[in-house]
Amino acid sequence: MQAPLKEKNDIKIFILYLLKNLNYPLDFNTISDIVVQDEFVNYFDFAECFAELLDIGNIEQLPAKPDEQKNSPDLYRITANGIQVVEQLQSNLLNIIKEKSLKSAMRLLSFKSRGSEVRCSGNKRDDGRYDLVCEVIEKGATLLRLSVIIDTKYQLDKMMYNFNERPEVVYRGIISLLTGDINYLID
């Protein structure tokens, strides 16, 4: 799949938009994960645009604190100039792209801070139906592993999309059903 954002200015504005709204210093790998995770930008375009934003002062590398380990990664943040650029420049970025990416970025940061990982996969079975497997793993322990047989590819795609978009809501819903907190759905 080709990334929909190909114009360098759009990619730069996209990077600045995410950094402005997250408003937290991050290491290069985390920023990269955030920007490319929804496949709106490919990694090579990201790396090139990030370096250019750093060179022109829209992003800055934070100086290491004296008490930090030498092996800790460098942290970066958007500058006041970068904030001004993203607020003043108009872009062809669709709001849905910005909103989806920001939500994905916040979820990725939330899961990273807790050491969580979300996995969801679907495979076609010999009988023409589909296996859906959804997992939430936190600090090496599987909090949720759900396996369901689905009749159609449409249902599979819809369920995978919903789980990937809101894994924490699906998790809470399953726990609520199993504990009887929302029995009105069953009655």
Side-chain angles (χ1 to χ4, degrees):
M1 176 179 158
Q2 183 176 351
L5 298 179
K6 297 304 287 172
E7 294 293 322
K8 285 177 84 171
N9 283 338
D10 285 340
I11 295 169
K12 289 177 184 177
I13 291 169
F14 184 63
I15 294 168
L16 293 174
Y17 169 82
L18 291 172
L19 290 176
K20 175 185 175 282
N21 285 286
L22 293 172
N23 195 27
Y24 189 79
L26 300 167
D27 64 90
F28 179 84
N29 288 336
T30 300
I31 296 170
S32 169
D33 289 347
I34 287 167
V35 172
V36 304
Q37 72 177 336
D38 291 318
E39 300 180 350
F40 296 128
V41 177
N42 74 46
Y43 176 80
F44 298 108
D45 289 338
F46 159 75
E48 182 179 353
C49 290
F50 184 87
E52 290 176 15
L53 288 168
L54 192 58
D55 287 344
I56 61 175
N58 289 331
I59 296 173
E60 66 182 347
Q61 180 179 343
L62 298 177
K65 295 178 184 171
D67 59 336
E68 289 182 346
Q69 297 177 354
K70 295 193 186 277
N71 293 339
S72 62
D74 294 330
L75 298 178
Y76 300 90
R77 70 176 175 204
I78 190 169
T79 63
N81 188 52
I83 291 171
Q84 186 177 14
V85 166
V86 78
E87 288 176 349
Q88 290 181 352
L89 284 182
Q90 294 297 319
S91 169
N92 293 329
L93 296 180
L94 297 173
N95 282 336
I96 194 161
I97 289 176
K98 293 191 291 191
E99 290 168 11
K100 177 179 174 32
S101 293
L102 184 57
K103 186 164 72 169
S104 294
M106 293 171 80
R107 186 175 65 240
L108 183 132
L109 289 177
S110 171
F111 284 139
K112 275 192 171 194
S113 69
R114 292 190 335 241
S116 298
E117 182 182 350
V118 173
R119 298 181 192 162
C120 188
S121 63
N123 297 306
K124 192 167 186 172
R125 300 167 51 93
D126 291 339
D127 65 3
R129 296 184 295 171
Y130 297 86
D131 285 319
L132 170 68
V133 178
C134 301
E135 295 178 293
V136 176
I137 301 163
E138 191 168 286
K139 297 180 182 171
T142 301
L143 298 180
L144 170 74
R145 186 173 202 294
L146 175 68
S147 180
V148 183
I149 297 174
I150 309 300
D151 289 327
T152 68
K153 177 82 165 95
Y154 173 76
Q155 288 174 317
L156 174 72
D157 291 342
K158 190 172 180 180
M159 289 178 181
M160 287 180 67
Y161 175 81
N162 193 50
F163 183 78
N164 284 322
E165 285 297 301
R166 294 176 284 282
E168 64 286 346
V169 173
V170 173
Y171 175 76
R172 283 194 319 260
I174 290 170
I175 297 301
S176 294
L177 280 169
L178 291 173
T179 59
D181 292 341
I182 54 174
N183 276 341
Y184 62 85
L185 289 176
I186 300 169
D187 293 339

